[in-house]
Amino acid sequence: MAQSAEHVLDHLELFRGPEYQQMLDKKKMFEDPREPAEVERIKEWTKTPEYREKNFAREALTINPAKACQPLGAVFASVGFEGTLPFVHGSQGCVAYYRSHLSRHFKEPCSCVSSSMTEDAAVFGGLNNMIDGLANSYNMYKPKMIAVSTTCMAEVIGDDLNAFIKTSKEKGSVPAEFDVPFAHTPAFVGSHVTGYDNALKGILEHFWDGKAGTVPKLERRPNQAINIIGGFDGYTVGNLREIRRILELMGIQHTILADNSEVFDTPTDGEFRMYDGGTTLEDAANAVHAKATISMQEWCTEKTLQFVAEHGQDVLSFNYPIGISATDDLLVALSRIGGKDIPEQLARERGRLVDAIADSSAHIHGKKFAIYGDPDLCYGVAAFLLELGAEPTHVLSTNGNKAWQTKMAALLASSPFGQSCQVYPGRDLWHLRSLLFTEPVDFLIGNTYGKYLERDTGTPLIRIGFPVFDRHHHHRSPVWGYQGGLNVLVKILDKIFDEIDKKTNLLGKTDYSFDIIR
Amino acid sequence: MSSLAATVQNIFDEPGCAKNGSKSKADRRKGCTRQLQPGSAAGGCAFDGAKIALQPFTDVAHLVHGPIACEGNSWDNRGSASSGSNLWRTAFTTDLNETDIVFGGEQRLCKAITEIINKWDPAAIFVYQTCIPAMIGDDIDAVCKAASQRFGKPVIPINSPGFVGSKNLGNKLAGEALLEHVIGTQEPDYTTPYDINLIGEYNLSGELWQVKPLLDELGVRILSCISGDGKYREVASSHRARAAMLVCSKSMINVARKMKERYGIPFFEGSFYGIQDSSDSLRQIARLLVERGAPQELLGRTDAVIAREETRAWAAIEPYKPRFKGKKVLLITGGVKSWSVVAALQEAGLELVGTSVKKSTKEDKERIKELMGQDAHMIEEMTPREMYRMLKEAEADIMLSGGKSQFVALKAAMPWIDINQERCHAYLGYLGMVKLVEEIDKSLSNPMWEQLRRPAPWQVLAKAMVQMRSPLAEIACDPALGETTRRAKEICFCNKVDLGTIEDAITAHGLISVEAVREHTNAVGGCCNRRIEGILAASPSALPQAAE
């Protein structure tokens, strides 16, 4: 045996041992093996334009989607409020997914409960699960607020959250004055960015519009503060901290809504923090008085911003601002709305990013990129690439819609470097696979799942997006602002130089260019 | 050390160099390079010069005898490419420590050589002398001689410690070492009438390989390249070449001249930078070889290859012409490159606003005049400040220079391309020129420059705000205040004439000259001449006047 108690091998090595290899070879005989040549032929066929045509003719089947479901976004938004326990009304299996998805990305525990609906609840309605669930989670986890969202199961049978929560409160599950905002978040509509939007809107609606009819609506008395919404973002920890730093440097009074930068980055000091940081409930309520609300991600906050605008605030949205121009626009807007000057320190940071780009953009200039991910992220990354003189060639967003496509196309049309780019809303990573084979690019930008595309097509993957499971801690550094732009620049450059090294490191073959200075 | 001093003097007497030849004997003794000025930023030392000149020999172990400073900061810092051994990239140093300095480093050097022989068994070992062992009196010549005998393997002392002078001097001292210890010590396996040497070609970014296929096609054999992608055995037997091409005359002219004297190998100075120059060089090679007895038909074949390659290159450059229309280039480099790329750039439609001639020879300068006309903007010594000014004031759209000038261009927010040794691309030969033009186009079209030139949007905004708040704006809103200000501002101090009076006279009579203003007002127009000119230029009356 290759495996022995003296030297226990990890799976990375164990199965390479001869006995396992033999065993697997023999096993193959009983598995209706195909001719290796035939397998090879099919493999090559999937790289052809002919296959691509068939692939793009797909109607019903989604293969390797680059999106997740609404409640994931709802949970993500909910944990951004002080002492808030996300409560997903529906089946518990779904909730386990959100928790693992988030904690695999952030390397942090993610607390979230479900009403654990089972077959009988599906038949008779989930009211009892709601009543018991709220009571249990209130008593066990001592939250300050429980934010309710739903899985498909509850949505399909049409459970009425408003009525259920009211009934639960009447039955004494939680005190009558305890905050239980809610949002219907069916997975069969939209994606996690929609869920973020719905959950945030639900929470603001709860505080601003009279807590489901139990108290009078808040009357808006405009003040000088600005609300900031980050949107669903894998870099939320770094980004929200960066935005806060910028606002503090400018001296702008602000509230960051759904601020989950603390709960997804708790210190290890012997104390378990089930809840940490977050927008206080008081701030969430007082956010109604702000003079304006700025969303960092347009397609994460369509409904929320509309709701905020209806309350008389100015609203403004960005598309994941990465790079110089995007950050310029953000700062100018903050300065204009906040009535504060942009301090010298930020001007210097800008100068440094410009300097860094000048030092190394020649390596990026003219390189072709494929980008996929959430709609706003795709937009922000593409805009930065255009700024660097890179040529985005495929931009694909499974959860992007027609409006996104139009806006993307306008961005690409505005630059000579975007002319050869195609935008693909509603397509998946298997579509992208065909694109990468038939119209190859130099680099691929996307989340961890892109590694399969990297393996199949040989296109080097630069990990920017959500989820990133197989690289650690990148979420702690911002990608927004000038400093964030620098981080993204470095990520791209690192990969470019790694690739050059990889192509020049064959001993005695290509290493004449294995240079130490790049 | 006396022998080193003699070698240095010897180098300073270079009949092959016109500039050197024109000097008086006393001037010659001072050397070719300006004496270093303590306190000013300076380039590399003689050790560095020797090291970079010889380091491209690929199968040689380059052993630096000295404390860690010399090799630790510099190893593998040149992008010469090797088609074979990678030994040249491995850093060997004796890494002298305090004890060695006190008791002498010869023992250590001896051991280091032994260890290299035992572990690597290279074709040869080059031992580089540095300041410290030279100061304490380590006799590397003796150590190398002993080691050579003991191991039966060439161990070559490269006596060019940093303090003897400049990098360029180091290049030449390296050449002297080759002449003294290496060249002519072995015989080639066979010779052909088509054998040539390339001297002073370093195969940076593998660019020699862009030219080599053409030589191969012509049947011309590079017997030895000194030193790009060179092998010890090749340079040791290079005295059997029929002709030589001197590529970088500044660094290795002594080698070419002395090989001519000793072995009768004729040489010419040429370059593969630029299309015309590549063709000239190929023709010269063919001519020299034929003169030395190669069959006549080589000339015809060479012409055919040249014609084909030129057509191909010009065709590839042609599409850039419209894109480069009106674009101006500033060329800051040295030696042959100061003219050799000019033709290609001109052909691509670029206008040259200047080329530096700091490291160029008299012949180089003649060539520049040929290409750019008599009034060619030759820049003898351009300070970074001057480069900055030229770029900033858009007298040039792009600068082509070595790496050390890049930050000048960046701070002036103007495109820049590295055409010296640290560059990432190969610009040699016909293809190289196409590549250079391609890179210029890429650099000119890089959106980064736009970004670099543009101030932060809020600064633009702030400027506009300041202007709105400026006295001028206030005056515009308040005529009475404007009137007082106008009357209060004195222009002619001698006769006390105020701005208002002069402006009124200009407007009333449509004045356009200082002369006219003098006639209509009391202003003297002497010391206030400039100020009045300024008012005239700014005066709105100039416009209707012109329209009439």
Side-chain angles (χ1 to χ4, degrees):
Chain A
M1 286 298 280
Q3 195 65 287
S4 81
E6 282 75 43
H7 181 58
V8 180
L9 290 174
D10 187 39
H11 65 98
L12 294 175
E13 296 144 29
L14 177 62
F15 302 116
R16 292 183 200 162
E19 62 274 48
Y20 282 101
Q21 287 300 314
Q22 264 173 26
M23 181 191 79
L24 292 171
D25 274 347
K26 283 181 187 158
K27 188 162 163 277
K28 251 182 216 151
M29 293 191 304
F30 300 97
E31 292 175 337
D32 190 17
R34 304 285 157 168
E35 274 295 313
E38 175 68 358
V39 172
E40 193 59 28
R41 191 186 65 80
I42 297 290
K43 196 175 114 195
E44 290 305 312
W45 175 63
T46 65
K47 300 176 183 176
T48 60
E50 181 201 352
Y51 181 83
R52 170 179 161 170
E53 205 172 300
K54 286 188 188 303
N55 191 6
F56 273 76
R58 254 192 294 138
E59 285 173 5
L61 179 67
T62 295
I63 308 174
N64 296 347
K67 66 167 179 180
C69 75
Q70 278 212 53
L72 178 79
V75 169
F76 181 91
S78 303
V79 295
F81 289 88
E82 175 199 12
T84 297
L85 182 67
F87 180 106
V88 188
H89 181 49
S91 37
Q92 97 285 353
C94 299
V95 178
Y97 284 143
Y98 318 142
R99 298 181 61 193
S100 56
H101 220 57
L102 291 167
S103 59
R104 281 166 188 166
H105 176 85
F106 291 109
K107 315 294 175 201
E108 284 285 325
C110 175
S111 301
C112 171
V113 297
S114 86
S115 59
S116 302
M117 282 169 71
T118 48
E119 201 175 351
D120 51 340
V123 175
F124 300 110
L127 180 59
N128 286 334
N129 294 62
M130 178 70 87
I131 294 168
D132 293 348
L134 284 180
N136 288 336
S137 49
Y138 176 76
N139 289 316
M140 279 196 287
Y141 303 119
K142 311 276 186 279
K144 287 196 177 151
M145 169 163 97
I146 295 175
V148 178
S149 54
T150 52
T151 71
C152 305
M153 194 174 173
E155 288 300 319
V156 167
I157 59 175
D159 280 359
D160 180 350
L161 290 181
N162 192 13
F164 279 19
I165 292 167
K166 216 168 155 190
T167 312
S168 302
K169 284 188 171 179
E170 280 162 10
K171 299 242 178 196
S173 296
V174 294
E177 68 286 358
F178 187 79
D179 292 312
V180 188
F182 64 88
H184 289 276
T185 54
F188 45 79
V189 177
S191 72
H192 54 292
V193 299
T194 331
Y196 180 95
D197 194 10
N198 282 332
L200 185 56
K201 176 175 169 256
I203 292 168
L204 295 183
E205 204 169 8
H206 169 80
F207 285 110
W208 296 3
D209 283 356
K211 304 193 173 184
T214 56
V215 293
K217 290 187 179 186
L218 293 179
E219 198 180 318
R220 180 165 177 262
R221 296 182 308 279
N223 60 21
Q224 290 304 306
I226 296 178
N227 298 326
I228 300 286
I229 303 174
F232 191 99
D233 177 19
Y235 299 88
T236 189
V237 171
N239 278 342
L240 291 184
R241 284 176 185 165
E242 178 66 8
I243 292 295
R244 178 179 296 113
R245 189 184 68 91
I246 289 171
L247 288 163
E248 281 169 0
L249 275 174
M250 294 177 75
I252 294 173
Q253 205 189 325
H254 61 273
T255 305
I256 294 180
L257 295 170
D259 179 3
N260 47 21
S261 61
E262 291 302 309
V263 75
F264 284 131
D265 191 23
T266 61
T268 286
D269 54 6
E271 182 195 343
F272 169 64
R273 294 168 175 82
M274 184 158 172
Y275 316 106
D276 199 12
T279 316
T280 64
L281 305 188
E282 197 188 346
D283 284 349
N286 287 334
V288 71
H289 307 306
K291 71 195 294 190
T293 295
I294 291 178
S295 163
M296 304 298 288
Q297 298 197 64
E298 179 183 359
W299 285 287
C300 286
T301 49
E302 285 173 293
K303 288 178 198 159
T304 305
L305 281 196
Q306 194 193 338
F307 169 80
V308 173
E310 282 163 7
H311 281 69
Q313 289 186 26
D314 284 340
V315 295
L316 187 60
S317 57
F318 290 88
N319 300 98
Y320 213 82
I322 300 180
I324 300 166
S325 301
T327 309
D328 284 350
D329 292 347
L330 173 68
L331 293 192
V332 168
L334 287 174
S335 167
R336 176 172 55 80
I337 297 169
K340 302 280 176 150
D341 286 341
I342 295 163
E344 177 60 17
Q345 189 177 336
L346 290 174
R348 289 184 71 92
E349 284 173 18
R350 182 183 194 277
R352 288 183 199 124
L353 175 58
V354 172
D355 186 65
I357 290 174
D359 290 343
S360 44
S361 82
H363 291 280
I364 302 175
H365 181 202
K367 296 270 190 310
K368 288 178 184 293
F369 285 77
I371 311 164
Y372 75 86
D374 288 341
D376 290 288
L377 179 119
C378 284
Y379 190 96
V381 171
F384 187 41
L385 289 181
L386 292 176
E387 204 166 75
L388 297 170
E391 292 171 20
T393 304
H394 315 295
V395 180
L396 180 144
S397 183
T398 308
N399 48 356
N401 57 21
K402 266 260 151 32
W404 170 77
Q405 183 182 21
T406 311
K407 191 160 183 180
M408 266 316 309
L411 170 73
L412 295 164
S414 72
S415 162
F417 301 96
Q419 300 305 314
S420 62
C421 185
Q422 288 294 314
V423 183
Y424 301 94
R427 299 294 185 174
D428 56 41
L429 298 189
W430 197 255
H431 290 118
L432 187 55
R433 188 178 185 273
S434 279
L435 293 174
L436 292 178
F437 277 128
T438 52
E439 293 171 65
V441 294
D442 298 306
F443 295 93
L444 169 65
I445 293 183
N447 61 19
T448 283
Y449 291 116
K451 79 194 287 180
Y452 298 116
L453 293 171
E454 181 179 37
R455 181 197 59 191
D456 289 4
T457 69
T459 318
L461 170 68
I462 299 165
R463 286 172 177 77
I464 301 175
F466 176 92
V468 173
F469 292 152
D470 60 346
R471 296 292 184 273
H472 294 191
H473 307 306
H474 291 279
H475 63 273
R476 295 175 206 267
S477 311
V479 299
W480 296 342
Y482 300 123
Q483 304 212 359
L486 196 58
N487 290 334
V488 176
L489 180 74
V490 172
K491 275 182 219 278
I492 295 171
L493 285 171
D494 277 355
K495 184 56 90 174
I496 290 177
F497 293 130
D498 281 349
E499 281 306 305
I500 297 177
D501 282 348
K502 234 193 260 175
K503 286 186 184 136
T504 54
N505 69 359
L506 287 180
L507 208 59
K509 286 218 169 94
T510 62
D511 62 350
Y512 52 83
S513 293
F514 193 58
D515 297 332
I516 53 158
I517 303 164
R518 297 289 190 202
Chain B
M1 291 314 286
S2 65
S3 75
L4 175 59
T7 316
V8 170
Q9 276 314 312
N10 185 313
I11 287 172
F12 286 156
D13 184 11
E14 178 51 70
C17 168
K19 188 168 180 178
N20 187 281
S22 67
K23 283 183 185 170
S24 71
K25 200 164 183 189
D27 278 345
R28 226 176 276 165
R29 287 171 71 88
K30 285 185 200 149
C32 341
T33 41
R34 212 172 302 116
Q35 290 303 306
L36 284 172
Q37 213 181 355
S40 72
C45 63
F47 157 73
D48 188 42
K51 182 86 189 297
I52 59 176
L54 300 182
Q55 190 171 255
F57 285 118
T58 59
D59 58 351
V60 171
H62 301 271
L63 171 61
V64 176
H65 182 46
I68 189 63
C70 308
E71 182 69 342
N73 296 322
S74 71
W75 69 279
D76 193 15
N77 61 358
R78 302 265 291 187
S80 296
S82 163
S83 59
S85 173
N86 256 325
L87 189 63
W88 71 284
R89 279 199 152 150
T90 311
F92 298 105
T93 175
T94 48
D95 191 8
L96 295 181
N97 60 34
E98 222 167 0
T99 326
D100 301 315
I101 309 298
V102 176
F103 296 103
E106 288 173 5
Q107 279 288 328
R108 194 176 174 87
L109 176 60
C110 216
K111 275 191 193 161
I113 292 171
T114 312
E115 282 170 7
I116 289 177
I117 301 270
N118 288 342
K119 286 209 169 73
W120 302 84
D121 193 26
I125 300 177
F126 285 3
V127 177
Y128 296 82
Q129 178 70 300
T130 64
C131 294
I132 299 305
M135 282 167 67
I136 62 173
D138 279 5
D139 186 351
I140 66 162
D141 289 45
V143 175
C144 288
K145 198 171 172 190
S148 296
Q149 280 164 359
R150 185 162 147 208
F151 298 110
K153 176 149 295 211
V155 181
I156 311 298
I158 313 293
N159 222 330
S160 178
F163 58 64
V164 297
S166 69
K167 191 160 161 178
N168 181 259
L169 178 62
N171 296 151
K172 295 195 165 86
L173 285 172
E176 289 299 316
L178 291 181
L179 287 163
E180 191 177 343
H181 302 288
V182 183
I183 295 169
T185 55
Q186 292 186 26
E187 289 299 325
D189 295 334
Y190 64 96
T191 57
T192 77
Y194 302 101
D195 289 353
I196 60 163
N197 290 332
L198 296 180
I199 301 170
E201 161 54 47
Y202 301 108
N203 198 28
L204 299 168
S205 304
E207 59 187 4
L208 174 60
W209 300 337
Q210 292 192 167
V211 180
K212 196 169 172 291
L214 298 179
L215 295 173
D216 290 347
E217 188 182 342
L218 293 171
V220 173
R221 177 169 78 142
I222 301 173
L223 182 66
S224 169
C225 180
I226 303 172
S227 57
D229 194 21
K231 294 197 173 57
Y232 184 80
R233 183 166 164 64
E234 291 167 1
V235 62
S237 55
S238 61
H239 60 297
R240 296 295 176 206
R242 313 290 295 171
M245 172 174 167
L246 177 59
V247 180
C248 181
S249 64
K250 279 271 165 176
S251 64
M252 290 264 183
I253 186 160
N254 53 334
V255 176
R257 180 180 59 83
K258 287 185 180 166
M259 286 182 80
K260 187 180 175 189
E261 285 169 12
R262 283 186 201 172
Y263 310 110
I265 304 172
F267 74 95
F268 73 98
E269 274 188 62
S271 152
F272 288 115
Y273 274 95
I275 293 172
Q276 189 58 45
D277 313 295
S278 299
S279 302
D280 284 352
S281 296
L282 290 177
R283 281 204 189 92
Q284 289 265 41
I285 291 171
R287 185 181 59 79
L288 286 183
L289 287 173
V290 170
E291 278 173 13
R292 301 264 346 254
Q296 194 76 27
E297 53 86 42
L298 176 63
L299 298 175
R301 281 195 291 126
T302 309
D303 281 337
V305 166
I306 288 170
R308 186 195 66 206
E309 290 299 315
E310 281 195 358
T311 316
R312 207 188 278 171
W314 291 132
I317 289 173
E318 181 68 26
Y320 291 97
K321 267 190 182 166
R323 298 174 62 100
F324 286 167
K325 206 171 155 49
K327 296 280 187 227
K328 297 188 286 278
V329 181
L330 176 63
L331 193 59
I332 302 289
T333 174
V336 287
K337 275 172 277 172
S338 54
W339 52 265
S340 61
V341 295
V342 169
L345 298 181
Q346 285 179 334
E347 189 59 33
L350 291 158
E351 187 191 327
L352 263 107
V353 292
T355 179
S356 73
V357 290
K358 189 182 169 193
K359 292 190 218 161
S360 306
T361 60
K362 199 170 160 212
E363 293 80 38
D364 289 336
K365 288 179 194 165
E366 283 306 312
R367 295 294 296 264
I368 296 168
K369 279 188 192 154
E370 251 169 63
L371 287 161
M372 294 170 64
Q374 278 304 317
D375 51 345
H377 189 21
M378 278 191 270
I379 304 149
E380 195 54 54
E381 166 86 81
M382 184 173 263
T383 59
R385 190 177 296 277
E386 175 63 7
M387 282 183 223
Y388 179 81
R389 190 195 61 76
M390 283 191 79
L391 290 168
K392 195 74 188 175
E393 290 173 9
E395 283 173 26
D397 295 292
I398 185 167
M399 178 165 87
L400 273 53
S401 75
K404 67 179 172 188
S405 313
Q406 78 165 299
F407 297 103
V408 176
L410 288 179
K411 295 307 166 196
M414 292 304 280
W416 162 84
I417 287 183
D418 190 348
I419 57 166
N420 278 8
Q421 66 275 6
E422 274 146 32
R423 66 183 172 271
C424 318
H425 305 288
Y427 295 139
L428 220 57
Y430 299 96
L431 294 175
M433 263 318 105
V434 177
K435 180 76 188 160
L436 176 63
V437 167
E438 211 174 85
E439 286 301 315
I440 291 174
D441 181 54
K442 256 179 88 177
S443 189
L444 283 171
S445 68
N446 194 322
M448 171 195 91
W449 305 112
E450 192 52 45
Q451 196 64 265
L452 228 63
R453 282 175 215 134
R454 222 180 42 164
W458 62 86
Q459 284 165 343
V460 182
L461 217 67
K463 216 175 172 182
M465 293 294 283
V466 167
Q467 273 168 5
M468 279 170 68
R469 282 190 218 119
S470 78
L472 276 176
E474 270 179 56
I475 287 166
C477 307
D478 183 358
L481 177 64
E483 195 55 31
T484 335
T485 322
R486 248 156 48 91
R487 297 294 164 199
K489 188 166 164 94
E490 211 160 79
I491 298 298
C492 174
F493 302 128
C494 307
N495 277 359
K496 311 248 177 260
V497 184
D498 62 60
L499 172 69
T501 309
I502 292 174
E503 277 183 345
D504 289 348
I506 291 172
T507 321
H509 306 287
L511 308 179
I512 49 169
S513 69
V514 180
E515 209 41 42
V517 172
R518 273 170 65 180
E519 277 171 29
H520 285 86
T521 67
N522 218 5
V524 177
C527 53
C528 56
N529 193 315
R530 275 284 176 82
R531 288 191 286 275
I532 296 173
E533 276 179 358
I535 301 165
L536 282 164
S539 172
S541 73
L543 287 175
Q545 189 79 12
E548 278 163 22

